[in-house]
């Protein structure tokens, strides 16, 4: 079921946010917001959880297992979508997320908490993937970029709301209610999905050959999923070991597993079923360049995990103030995404090219500003910090909805839903990689020593090194590697694939 808009020539936000489209937008954006808010709620209440039920030695695995399970869910979503239909698949994801949330809320030990976080991650990964995939099902093509902008912007909204929700319950000693409070949102989303999303299976390919190829692509590639999961776990371990040598070894192992996965996908013998669409692993294809740009921008933004620590340690800010200053980056992402999503043609192309440049400048500004001891002594310093944080988010958001839309339109026939599902897989993997590398760079720069001068040095190195990622994305964009694709793959791209 694809809807039409009231203004087919130039649909606007009104077309997306009113009538039945408004309810559908609420459901899809709500799925992403639910998953993202849960990420920040859990992060906020985790210290309280450890104080009550123990398990400090397993602290980091709350994030590791959650991310791995989210990737598994994102991969499995494609099969669920084609087998059960969009409505049943979405409701099943909500049920899985709810089960994990209940386990977390009632967890008597850290082992139970980890089980709950794994279930939450799996259900949430399916929600993320289906939220992107359903855009093609419930909206007309002219609304896709705006819908992408709305859905992507929910991460920023969650960053603003999640710490507040978790903080309130943790402050009053009721961290379990932070999880219980998510369940009414689940029920509301299920009711909207039941009313507004089609129940039957959705055909994604015309012609028997394309349909057969689509079915093959949506079989779950279990061995490839295991390789991807093992890669994420290995990279995550690099951030928690004390030895720099062991951290580097784990990163190498993780990247080696990712390389093995890429080789299997490129091999004719192991190509079907696929984890990512055809051409995703080659920089000679537009699709490969799009994934590379998305990954580089995603890696850059993971540096935000250290901003609260730097602000508290170097500048004496309270946890509340530091948390919400860091949230300016996510707020900028939301603003950039929402304001850019409606642009088309040359205007969209300009934003795709300009965005990574702004991110690079923002990262370099943070590398210069954060180590300055007198940063908060003047209004100019505080303003400059806020602008730099906001600019990093805006730069990513400016091009993000267009990159996502281009991924879907660049996919071959029969791989459209696979391309939609892969957006979440790529985004989560880049987050895991970025987090591990951020920990590795910060520790190598002396952060683990804990002295003021060491923390200053780490703040410089972290943002200076991570500025290389958006700079590389800017090169791809300026060279036209992520330009708006033609209606079909060129002969050169087909050969490179």
């Amino acid at each position: 079921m694809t809807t039409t808009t009231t203004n087919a020539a130039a649909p606007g936000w009104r077309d997306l946010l009113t009538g039945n489209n408004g309810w559908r937008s609420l459901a899809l954006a709500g799925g992403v917001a639910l998953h993202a808010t849960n990420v920040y709620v859990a992060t906020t209440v985790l210290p309280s959880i450890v104080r009550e039920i123990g398990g400090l030695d397993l602290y980091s695995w709350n994030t590791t297992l959650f991310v791995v399970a989210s990737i598994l869910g994102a991969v499995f979503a494609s099969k669920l979508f084609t087998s059960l239909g969009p409505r049943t698949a979405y409701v099943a994801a909500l049920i899985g997320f709810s089960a994990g949330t209940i386990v977390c809320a009632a967890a008597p030990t850290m082992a139970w908490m980890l089980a709950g976080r794994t279930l939450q991650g799996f259900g949430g990964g399916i929600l993320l993937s289906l939220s992107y995939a359903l855009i093609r099902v419930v909206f007309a093509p002219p609304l896709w970029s705006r819908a992408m902008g709305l859905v992507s912007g929910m991460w920023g909204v969650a960053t603003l709301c999640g710490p507040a929700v978790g903080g309130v319950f943790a402050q009053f000693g009721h961290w379990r209610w932070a999880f219980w409070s998510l369940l009414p949102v689940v029920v509301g989303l299920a009711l909207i999905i039941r009313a507004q999303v089609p129940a039957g299976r959705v055909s994604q390919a015309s012609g028997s050959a394309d349909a057969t190829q689509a079915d093959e692509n949506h079989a779950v590639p279990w061995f490839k999923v295991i390789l991807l999961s093992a890669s994420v776990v290995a990279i995550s371990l690099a951030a928690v070991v004390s030895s720099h040598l062991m951290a580097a070894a784990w990163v190498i192992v993780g990247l080696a597993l990712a390389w093995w996965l890429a080789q299997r996908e490129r091999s004719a013998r192991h190509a079907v079923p696929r984890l990512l669409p055809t051409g995703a692993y080659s920089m000679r294809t537009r699709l490969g360049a799009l994934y590379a740009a998305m990954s580089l921008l995603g890696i850059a933004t993971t540096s935000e995990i250290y901003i609260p620590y730097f602000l508290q340690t170097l500048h004496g800010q309270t946890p509340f103030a530091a948390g919400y200053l860091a949230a300016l980056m996510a707020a900028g992402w939301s603003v950039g995404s929402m304001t850019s999503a409606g642009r088309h043609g040359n205007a969209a192309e300009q934003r795709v090219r300009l965005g990574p440049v702004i991110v690079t400048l923002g990262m370099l500004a943070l590398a210069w500003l954060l180590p300055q001891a007198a940063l908060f002594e003047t209004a100019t310093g505080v303003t400059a910090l806020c602008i730099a944080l906001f600019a990093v988010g805006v730069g990513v958001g400016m091009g993000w909805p267009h990159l996502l839309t281009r991924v879907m339109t660049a996919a071959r026939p029969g791989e459209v839903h696979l391309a939609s599902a892969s957006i979440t897989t790529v985004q989560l993997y880049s987050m895991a990689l970025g987090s591990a590398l951020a920990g590795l760079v910060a520790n190598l720069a002396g952060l683990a020593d804990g002295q003021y001068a060491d923390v200053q040095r780490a703040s410089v190195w972290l943002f200076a090194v991570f500025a290389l990622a958006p700079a590389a994305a800017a090169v791809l964009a300026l060279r036209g590697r992520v330009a708006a694709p033609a209606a079909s793959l060129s002969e050169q791209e087909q050969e490179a694939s």
Side-chain angles (χ1 to χ4, degrees):
M1 178 178 67
T2 303
T3 64
T4 58
T5 60
T6 58
N7 187 352
W13 286 108
R14 180 182 179 85
D15 299 282
L16 182 67
L17 301 177
T18 57
N20 287 335
N21 277 350
W23 287 108
R24 293 161 186 155
S25 297
L26 178 61
L28 301 192
V32 175
L34 178 65
H35 176 80
T37 299
N38 173 63
V39 170
Y40 296 107
V41 166
T43 301
T44 304
V45 301
L46 196 52
S48 300
I49 293 173
V50 170
R51 283 193 295 269
E52 179 175 328
I53 66 176
L56 182 60
D57 56 326
L58 298 174
Y59 192 100
S60 64
W61 285 96
N62 278 271
T63 300
T64 299
L65 293 178
F66 183 85
V67 172
V68 170
S70 295
I71 293 176
L72 291 173
V75 172
F76 189 71
S78 183
K79 178 65 175 178
L80 205 62
F81 185 98
T82 55
S83 298
L84 302 180
R87 181 197 295 176
T88 305
Y90 204 98
V91 172
L94 289 173
I95 292 173
F97 180 88
S98 299
T101 301
I102 293 171
V103 172
C104 287
T109 65
M110 183 56 73
W112 279 100
M113 177 60 63
L114 293 178
R117 291 289 287 156
T118 302
L119 282 173
Q120 276 191 324
F122 186 73
I126 298 175
L127 285 177
L128 282 177
S129 184
L130 290 180
S131 293
Y132 287 117
L134 282 173
I135 287 175
R136 294 183 60 92
V137 176
V138 300
F139 297 122
L143 288 174
W144 286 355
S145 64
R146 291 189 187 274
M148 283 291 185
L150 178 66
V151 171
S152 300
M154 290 302 102
W155 280 95
V157 173
T159 308
L160 295 173
C161 298
V165 173
V168 168
F169 286 109
Q171 181 69 30
F172 292 98
H174 300 294
W175 62 263
R176 296 181 187 275
W177 281 99
F179 291 108
W180 290 120
S181 67
L182 299 174
L183 295 181
V185 179
V186 172
V187 174
L189 289 176
L191 293 175
I192 297 173
I193 287 295
R194 183 173 178 81
Q196 297 294 334
V197 173
R201 295 179 61 179
V202 177
S203 175
Q204 68 159 338
S206 58
S208 58
D210 284 344
T212 301
Q213 181 68 34
D215 288 339
E216 290 177 340
N217 281 333
H218 290 301
V220 178
W222 289 113
F223 184 72
K224 295 176 183 178
V225 171
I226 291 172
L227 283 179
L228 184 67
S229 301
S231 173
V232 173
V233 171
I235 293 171
S236 298
L237 284 171
V240 299
V241 296
S242 57
S243 168
H244 294 163
L245 183 61
M246 285 300 300
W250 278 120
V251 170
I252 292 172
V253 170
L255 294 179
L257 291 171
W259 177 84
W260 187 12
L261 169 63
Q263 293 304 112
R264 289 183 66 88
E265 291 254 285
R266 291 165 64 96
S267 167
R269 180 181 177 185
H270 302 291
V272 177
R274 303 191 63 87
L275 194 58
L276 297 181
T278 304
Y281 300 93
S282 173
M283 290 298 294
R284 293 180 295 171
T285 69
R286 185 177 292 113
L287 192 59
L290 286 166
Y291 281 130
M294 289 169 53
S295 299
L296 290 167
L297 292 174
I299 287 172
T301 59
T302 56
S303 60
E304 72 174 338
I305 63 178
Y306 280 100
I307 291 175
Y309 179 81
F310 290 143
L311 292 177
Q312 292 179 55
T313 305
L314 296 177
H315 304 290
Q317 297 299 299
T318 64
F320 183 86
Y324 275 95
L325 279 171
L328 284 173
M329 190 180 292
W333 186 328
S334 295
V335 171
S337 187
M338 296 286 286
T339 57
S340 176
R343 304 293 180 174
H344 302 282
N346 290 334
E349 196 62 42
Q350 290 172 0
R351 283 158 177 77
V352 170
R353 295 185 177 189
L354 181 60
V357 176
I358 294 176
V359 178
T360 303
L361 295 176
M363 299 287 285
L364 292 175
L366 290 174
W368 178 67
L369 290 168
L370 284 171
Q372 296 188 24
L375 178 62
F376 281 83
E377 293 181 4
T378 64
T380 301
V382 176
T383 301
L385 175 65
C386 293
I387 291 174
L389 290 168
F390 194 75
V392 172
V394 166
V396 176
M398 285 174 62
W400 195 257
H402 304 294
L403 292 175
L404 302 191
T405 301
R406 291 172 186 186
V407 165
M408 294 198 301
T409 56
R412 286 182 169 183
E415 295 186 340
V416 174
H417 289 312
L418 178 60
S420 299
S422 70
I423 290 173
T424 304
T425 305
V426 172
Q427 185 175 358
L428 290 172
Y429 186 80
S430 66
M431 287 172 58
L433 178 60
S435 298
L437 293 177
L440 186 60
V441 171
N443 288 334
L444 287 175
L447 183 70
D449 296 333
Q451 300 299 316
Y452 188 88
D454 296 322
V455 178
Q456 279 184 312
R457 183 169 58 252
S459 68
V460 175
W461 276 99
L462 177 63
F463 291 99
V465 170
F466 267 58
L468 296 174
V475 172
L476 288 174
L478 292 174
R479 288 184 175 180
R481 298 299 298 143
V482 295
S488 61
L489 290 172
S490 66
E491 294 181 0
Q492 180 182 1
E493 286 183 306
Q494 291 183 28
E495 181 180 354
S497 299

